[in-house]
Amino acid sequence: MKVVLLFDQTQAGLGGKENPMLPLGGKNMGIGAYNMLEPFLKKQDASVIATLYCGDGFYLENKEDVTKKIAGMVKKMSPDVVIAAPSYNYEGYAKMCAEVGIFIEEKVNIPVVTAMSTECDSVISAYKDKITIVKMPKKGGTGLTDSLDHICQLAGLKARNDNLEEFKNSFCY
């Protein structure tokens, strides 16, 4: 299974809240939070072909352009699934994951997995019926290992076009 990751500046390892205006970019490899996802991706026989990243502030100021460019890059790479996670309690990143993910699923027809904590309740409320969102703890919360495994399990299910109902009932909002 070929995977493209979509991260904000923090998850990409390219800065924190002080660098929200990081422009859209990418690397043909896993970077940043990939290291946490790697063991769970291996369980799904998945490999990361690229990591796309964008500061959440840059995204919010350039939403339409960034969304279209990410979708175009994803279409060109043709992965089996996009993982736009983990966004923890970072609401700006969670919003980017949900909005870009919905656009990719609708316009490029490639499945997307998102994950966020309950602190992102406004994003969850707005988008949970439009894209699958895995439950996860806030940054520093307990249950991170399980949620990372669930993110990768859902990626496998979506890539194989398996039935998601039981999984969603157990692990998603």
Side-chain angles (χ1 to χ4, degrees), residues 24-44:
L24 176 62
K27 301 244 184 224
N28 290 325
M29 59 193 283
I31 62 171
Y34 161 73
N35 293 326
M36 292 187 321
L37 290 166
E38 184 180 23
F40 306 106
L41 288 167
K42 284 183 178 179
K43 286 170 55 176
Q44 298 296 321

Side-chain angles (χ1 to χ4, degrees), residues 38-94:
E38 184 180 23
F40 306 106
L41 288 167
K42 284 183 178 179
K43 286 170 55 176
Q44 298 296 321
D45 196 27
S47 60
V48 171
I49 59 172
T51 304
L52 303 177
Y53 54 82
C54 184
D56 59 346
F58 187 88
Y59 167 75
L60 290 173
E61 286 191 11
N62 303 281
K63 222 185 259 198
E64 189 176 324
D65 190 42
V66 168
T67 300
K68 287 179 181 175
K69 284 181 178 178
I70 291 172
M73 288 187 266
V74 167
K75 184 176 182 175
K76 188 175 182 181
M77 289 182 272
S78 191
D80 298 304
V81 66
V82 173
I83 296 177
S87 58
Y88 301 98
N89 53 306
Y90 302 131
E91 195 161 2
Y93 175 40

Side-chain angles (χ1 to χ4, degrees), residues 7 39 47 50 79 85 96 112 148 173:
F7 291 155
S47 60
M96 178 174 76
V112 178
L148 294 173
Y173 294 104

Side-chain angles (χ1 to χ4, degrees), residues 100-115:
V100 173
I102 291 165
F103 189 88
I104 290 169
E105 285 191 340
E106 290 177 355
K107 304 294 184 193
V108 186
N109 202 29
I110 291 176
V112 178
V113 173
T114 64

Side-chain angles (χ1 to χ4, degrees), residues 105-139:
E105 285 191 340
E106 290 177 355
K107 304 294 184 193
V108 186
N109 202 29
I110 291 176
V112 178
V113 173
T114 64
M116 57 195 74
S117 69
T118 57
E119 287 77 9
C120 297
D121 58 338
S122 66
V123 177
I124 294 165
S125 296
Y127 299 108
K128 70 180 180 179
D129 295 330
K130 298 174 183 155
I131 193 162
T132 43
I133 304 172
V134 174
K135 296 175 184 175
M136 71 174 305
K138 67 180 182 178
K139 188 76 172 176

